[in-house]
Amino acid sequence: MKILFILQFDSFIKTLLPVYDQLYKKHFDLELVLFKHWRKKNWISTEITKLLNNYPYAIYGRRKILDKLNGGYNVVIVGTMGGIITRVYDYRQKNKLKFKIVTGYVGALLNNNPRSFILGVKKRSQSDLIWVPGKSAAIKILDTQLVDTEKTIIVNTGLPRFDELFHLSKYWYNNCRNLILFIEQPTYPKTYKERKKLVFRLIKIAESYPKHTLIIKPRFREKIGHAHKPKHLLPEILNKIANKPNNIISSNSDLYSLFPNTDFALTISSTGGLESLLVNIPTYFINDFCKKTNLYGTEYFKVLGAVTNTQNIINKDTPKINFNYAHDLLLFNGNSTQKFVDAIIKLVKSE
């Protein structure tokens, strides 16, 4: 079986590399291409290339990628956010090619921007298989009635990149839980004024928990090209504030290395917040900046009982969380990679 991966942005790379590895072990013929869109041409940073140190890959623009589709592939896995999905589909139809198209989602499926959500479902509906992170995402997509399930299979694979977390968490016993972890979202909240206010609120939380260390965990070390390009980095704002308490810092440590010592976590609507819930860390989705709407997708986590505001955190008046429902949002059993690979093999055999 010959498979082409077309990838863009770190989230798709991290999600799909475990699938690549598993297929490689099964001796499939694999090729990996990074999509260098002219509008987002700078997304391929050193952070990205480090992820691919041990992988052969090429960097192509749209035209070269479409030309490459004539290479006799059985499956083309499109891990991008943009219109390249439609281009791949149109090219296949025009040239009467037989390869299967696989697309999907790399995080919790939130439609706080209904127009973008519908547009994304329409693009993915042109594929033969859509992978989703959890049961609720599959239901949400089917409810749009935009996907012809006679032609397109929706598979609740979960996210392969979380298999590592599942296995690591089995070894976390009796750790000292003295961290409060704020998991940053690159563009939520959006403005510099709001992000500065957020840092001051986090300082207030740190002051309320003097025996803890509050760690701001940035999404990125620097401003890089990304599906959600970061602006106004929180550590930079924090560093400019004088007379802050000693127990608030920023850290670029791997998220999974921080989890074992985390007492509770905070975020706005990051998938990282779901990761921490999945390993039974109380996690609160703060809605201070949502302007009484679902501006940043925070309200979707109300079903978890986990939405609150920073003042409640400061007052130590935290809601009770339904940890079980997190598993509807993200399938978490350590078998997502295998389920993804099995779905691809079944797709090809169904021809």
Side-chain angles (χ1 to χ4, degrees), residues 181-322:
L181 185 60
F182 179 79
I183 304 169
E184 182 199 26
Q185 203 130 1
T187 54
Y188 298 166
K190 289 185 177 181
T191 68
Y192 176 79
K193 182 179 179 180
E194 285 181 320
R195 291 176 78 80
K196 187 174 181 180
K197 181 180 178 181
L198 171 60
V199 172
F200 275 108
R201 298 304 289 168
L202 293 175
I203 287 173
K204 287 290 186 183
I205 292 172
E207 290 173 342
S208 296
Y209 294 82
K211 294 183 180 180
H212 289 67
T213 298
L214 192 153
I215 293 180
I216 297 174
K217 174 62 177 76
R219 180 68 175 81
F220 304 107
R221 296 173 186 266
E222 57 189 11
K223 296 175 184 176
I224 65 171
H226 181 257
H228 305 290
K229 189 175 181 179
K231 297 178 182 178
H232 317 305
L233 299 178
L234 297 186
E236 292 180 359
I237 296 172
L238 179 68
N239 289 339
K240 293 176 182 178
I241 297 174
N243 302 318
K244 54 184 175 284
N246 293 326
N247 66 328
I248 181 168
I249 61 174
S250 63
S251 173
N252 287 312
S253 297
D254 181 76
L255 196 61
Y256 295 174
S257 71
L258 298 172
F259 278 166
N261 300 108
T262 298
D263 186 15
F264 65 90
L266 306 169
T267 188
I268 293 179
S269 63
S270 171
T271 303
L274 282 176
E275 291 179 73
S276 57
L277 280 172
L278 292 168
V279 292
N280 297 313
I281 296 171
T283 304
Y284 306 105
F285 296 82
I286 59 173
N287 60 4
D288 298 47
F289 305 95
C290 295
K291 300 177 181 178
K292 299 182 180 179
T293 68
N294 199 21
L295 180 64
Y296 297 138
T298 309
E299 296 304 305
Y300 289 109
F301 300 100
K302 274 191 171 178
V303 292
L304 299 166
V307 176
T308 188
N309 57 59
T310 53
Q311 190 59 51
N312 287 338
I313 302 295
I314 292 166
N315 295 341
K316 302 181 182 177
D317 180 19
T318 52
K320 185 177 180 180
I321 295 171
N322 179 355

Side-chain angles (χ1 to χ4, degrees), residues 160-178:
R161 72 176 188 265
F162 293 157
D163 286 349
E164 178 190 6
L165 176 62
F166 179 86
H167 296 296
L168 284 174
S169 66
K170 302 304 177 185
Y171 298 95
W172 297 343
Y173 302 110
N174 302 319
N175 292 86
C176 176
R177 301 277 180 166
N178 61 351

Side-chain angles (χ1 to χ4, degrees), residues 53-225:
N53 272 346
N54 299 316
Y55 298 86
Y57 67 91
I59 301 173
Y60 289 163
R62 187 181 67 197
R63 183 174 296 179
K64 285 191 73 173
I65 284 177
L66 295 179
D67 288 343
K68 193 168 182 59
L69 296 177
N70 292 298
Y73 300 102
N74 302 98
V75 178
V76 175
I77 300 175
V78 187
T80 77
M81 300 285 289
I84 190 68
I85 298 170
T86 300
R87 298 280 185 173
V88 169
Y89 174 80
D90 289 344
Y91 191 90
R92 182 183 71 174
Q93 300 304 102
K94 180 180 177 181
N95 293 279
K96 296 182 173 56
L97 299 172
K98 300 295 184 182
F99 61 79
K100 301 290 187 179
I101 301 172
V102 175
T103 63
Y105 294 87
V106 291
L109 187 53
L110 308 177
N111 58 334
N112 47 305
N113 184 332
R115 183 178 177 276
S116 294
F117 169 68
I118 292 298
L119 185 60
V121 174
K122 283 181 177 178
K123 289 176 181 177
R124 288 167 175 81
S125 70
Q126 297 171 316
S127 55
D128 300 283
L129 185 151
I130 302 172
W131 81 81
V132 295
K135 181 172 70 174
S136 65
I139 293 170
K140 195 176 293 185
I141 291 170
L142 287 171
D143 283 348
T144 66
Q145 299 185 337
L146 294 171
V147 178
D148 182 350
T149 54
E150 294 292 321
K151 298 179 180 178
T152 302
I153 306 166
I154 298 175
V155 183
N156 178 14
T157 59
L159 299 178
R161 72 176 188 265
F162 293 157
D163 286 349
E164 178 190 6
L165 176 62
F166 179 86
H167 296 296
L168 284 174
S169 66
K170 302 304 177 185
Y171 298 95
W172 297 343
Y173 302 110
N174 302 319
N175 292 86
C176 176
R177 301 277 180 166
N178 61 351
L179 300 182
I180 301 168
L181 185 60
F182 179 79
I183 304 169
E184 182 199 26
Q185 203 130 1
T187 54
Y188 298 166
K190 289 185 177 181
T191 68
Y192 176 79
K193 182 179 179 180
E194 285 181 320
R195 291 176 78 80
K196 187 174 181 180
K197 181 180 178 181
L198 171 60
V199 172
F200 275 108
R201 298 304 289 168
L202 293 175
I203 287 173
K204 287 290 186 183
I205 292 172
E207 290 173 342
S208 296
Y209 294 82
K211 294 183 180 180
H212 289 67
T213 298
L214 192 153
I215 293 180
I216 297 174
K217 174 62 177 76
R219 180 68 175 81
F220 304 107
R221 296 173 186 266
E222 57 189 11
K223 296 175 184 176
I224 65 171

Side-chain angles (χ1 to χ4, degrees), residues 16-68:
L16 292 171
L17 280 185
V19 176
Y20 183 104
D21 290 339
Q22 185 86 312
L23 290 167
Y24 181 80
K25 289 175 184 176
K26 292 180 178 293
H27 306 292
F28 290 113
D29 185 2
L30 308 176
E31 293 184 47
L32 194 158
V33 171
L34 301 185
F35 174 40
K36 190 173 183 179
H37 192 284
W38 66 272
R39 283 184 179 175
K40 299 185 176 79
K41 60 184 178 181
N42 295 325
W43 74 270
I44 305 173
S45 66
T46 54
E47 294 280 330
I48 295 296
T49 54
K50 283 178 185 176
L51 293 174
L52 295 166
N53 272 346
N54 299 316
Y55 298 86
Y57 67 91
I59 301 173
Y60 289 163
R62 187 181 67 197
R63 183 174 296 179
K64 285 191 73 173
I65 284 177
L66 295 179
D67 288 343
K68 193 168 182 59

